[in-house]
Amino acid sequence: MEKIDLFTLISLIVAVIVILKLRSVLGRRTGDEEARVERYRTERARQEAAASGDNVVAMPRRERDAQAPAPAAEVTEVDAEERIKNYAGAEPAARAGLVDIARQDPAFEPDTFIRGAKQAYEMIVTAFAEGNRKLLRDLLSRDVYDGFNRAITEREARGEQVDQSFVGIEKADIVESELKSGIASVTVRFVSELISATRDKAGAIIGGDPQRIKEVTDIWTFSRDISSAKARANPNWRLIATQSPA
């Protein structure tokens, strides 16, 4: 019995040692192991995102590259001509001036200019009908503002009021352009649709028709100083001349 007890005791000791050894290897998770697991999960998520084709780094860089204009010294006549000839909204006589402007101002793009000109046209036409002198002062040159202001003052003196709805712009084409002494000038022919009626003091209609859409053609010239980098930092164009179609 003593021999059996001793053998059993030795077996139990060996079994306990084996169990403790296995537990030390397999049954515990140290902080370092948890960190390795977390690093593995992070790396796996990054690889899966890359495999899915979602490039979240290159997209912002492309956007910045597209917005940043090239230095003026790098813009050649060939570059400027290439940009202008692809723009269909300019008459042939206006292209030489647009090339000169593009060479002086690398950020100039005709399609971007036209979008801004359309917005300015609608704002000015609406502000004139409403008698909004403050808005007109910000968008017009001094001479043009004086002319608009006189017309508004005379209309107010007669007690007249303009009811107008701006329907939209059918066409906006560049018909002339010029760069002279660092001043860029671009002339645009607008064909727009308006609903407009003028009423007297009593509210009677004395001009226009509040029920009819009228097509209107205006030829406006916008100007901007692009003579230096400081001047080009101001992107705003001003209306410097208006004329009726011949």
Side-chain angles (χ1 to χ4, degrees):
M1 293 293 295
E2 291 180 359
K3 290 183 179 180
I4 295 174
D5 290 341
L6 179 61
F7 177 80
T8 302
L9 179 61
I10 293 173
S11 299
L12 288 174
I13 292 173
V14 171
V16 169
I17 292 173
V18 171
I19 291 171
L20 290 175
K21 184 65 175 177
L22 290 173
R23 184 172 181 269
S24 68
V25 175
L26 302 176
R28 289 182 177 178
R29 174 171 290 179
T30 65
D32 181 65
E33 289 171 334
E34 292 178 354
R36 286 200 300 269
V37 170
E38 185 62 29
R39 287 197 298 269
Y40 170 80
R41 289 174 178 171
T42 302
E43 179 64 16
R44 181 64 179 268
R46 187 192 66 79
Q47 293 175 353
E48 289 177 354
S52 67
D54 295 331
N55 194 338
V56 296
V57 176
M59 286 176 65
R61 184 177 0 169
R62 287 200 300 269
E63 183 179 354
R64 287 196 297 271
D65 291 344
Q67 292 177 352
E74 296 181 4
V75 178
T76 67
E77 185 172 358
V78 174
D79 296 330
E81 289 179 350
E82 186 67 23
R83 289 161 55 189
I84 298 304
K85 77 176 184 179
N86 292 328
Y87 180 69
E91 295 187 357
R95 294 186 184 277
L98 292 177
V99 170
D100 292 339
I101 294 171
R103 293 181 65 192
Q104 181 73 17
D105 181 8
F108 175 77
E109 293 288 351
D111 53 351
T112 303
F113 166 80
I114 282 294
R115 284 197 298 271
K118 287 179 177 180
Q119 294 175 357
Y121 178 83
E122 180 177 353
M123 292 170 65
I124 292 170
V125 169
T126 302
F128 176 70
E130 296 174 348
N132 188 341
R133 292 178 174 84
K134 184 179 185 301
L135 180 57
L136 292 174
R137 190 179 291 110
D138 293 337
L139 298 173
L140 312 180
S141 68
R142 174 65 64 84
D143 291 342
V144 176
Y145 173 78
D146 289 344
F148 277 50
N149 184 46
R150 272 194 308 272
I152 293 172
T153 301
E154 292 172 359
R155 188 175 70 207
E156 291 173 341
R158 295 189 298 266
E160 297 173 356
Q161 181 178 347
V162 177
D163 295 336
Q164 179 175 281
S165 296
F166 192 92
V167 178
I169 297 174
E170 292 294 306
K171 291 184 64 179
D173 296 323
I174 297 175
V175 295
E176 294 179 10
S177 61
E178 180 184 43
L179 178 65
K180 187 175 182 180
S181 301
I183 305 299
S185 299
V186 181
T187 301
V188 181
R189 180 174 56 240
F190 296 97
V191 179
S192 64
E193 290 185 335
L194 304 172
I195 300 174
S196 181
T198 303
R199 300 179 184 272
D200 62 13
K201 291 181 179 180
I205 297 175
I206 58 176
D209 186 342
Q211 304 297 325
R212 185 173 66 89
I213 296 176
K214 180 182 179 182
E215 185 177 274
V216 178
T217 300
D218 289 305
I219 299 175
W220 288 9
T221 301
F222 298 89
S223 180
R224 175 171 166 251
D225 184 358
I226 59 172
S227 59
S228 64
K230 182 178 179 180
R232 290 191 293 273
N234 181 358
N236 297 322
W237 294 73
R238 286 183 179 270
L239 178 64
I240 64 168
T242 65
Q243 57 180 308
S244 300

